[in-house]
Amino acid sequence: QVQLVESGGGLVQAGGSLRLSCVASGNFWRINAMGWYRQAPGKQRELVAHITSGDSTNYADSIKGRFTISRDNAKNTVYLQMNSLKPEDTAVYYCRTDLFRTSWDLSHDYWGQGTQVTVSS
């Protein structure tokens, strides 16, 4: 069984900051990649930031220069530091991991429950 536990969401005024955390736990062999996605009301889920096992990153154009993704491999944790928040950043943020459960198995995707981020104007 694999579980993702997210924390750090909340209500903040425009221009403020939040730091999201996601911890992967359970039985698995190796994590491949981790990332953050978000879904605003009436819109499709979109990629926010992605990080590989070698710490290569990519970001959505809408948040470049404001958000930073990082990971702690020893803790199986991924973070999203969000600065200069805007009302348009309001959404449910989801953590995703792509991992191998065993050394001989194919990789699988796992998702967290999501955490609400609300930015007021």
Side-chain angles (χ1 to χ4, degrees):
Q1 185 177 8
V2 178
Q3 294 177 320
L4 303 181
V5 180
E6 300 159 318
S7 62
L11 175 65
V12 66
Q13 291 185 336
S17 298
L18 288 173
R19 185 173 184 258
L20 306 183
S21 300
C22 175
V23 181
S25 63
N27 296 321
F28 56 87
W29 177 57
R30 186 176 71 181
I31 294 176
N32 182 19
M34 308 182 77
W36 290 95
Y37 295 71
R38 68 185 182 187
Q39 187 168 24
K43 297 183 178 180
Q44 292 186 325
R45 187 174 299 185
E46 65 175 349
L47 173 68
V48 176
H50 174 270
I51 187 167
T52 69
S53 60
D55 290 340
S56 296
T57 60
N58 66 286
Y59 298 92
D61 289 340
S62 60
I63 58 89
K64 282 183 177 178
R66 299 188 296 120
F67 294 5
T68 302
I69 189 171
S70 62
R71 65 188 293 172
D72 186 332
N73 293 329
K75 298 181 181 296
N76 294 321
T77 301
V78 63
Y79 306 95
L80 185 67
Q81 179 66 47
M82 304 185 293
N83 298 325
S84 301
L85 283 162
K86 304 175 180 179
E88 63 199 67
D89 296 319
T90 296
V92 178
Y93 284 71
Y94 297 91
C95 174
R96 183 191 73 88
T97 66
D98 177 46
L99 58 83
F100 297 89
R101 295 186 65 189
T102 65
S103 62
W104 61 86
D105 197 10
L106 300 175
S107 63
H108 301 274
D109 283 337
Y110 293 88
W111 293 84
Q113 294 295 310
T115 183
Q116 177 70 48
V117 172
T118 302
V119 184
S120 62
S121 60

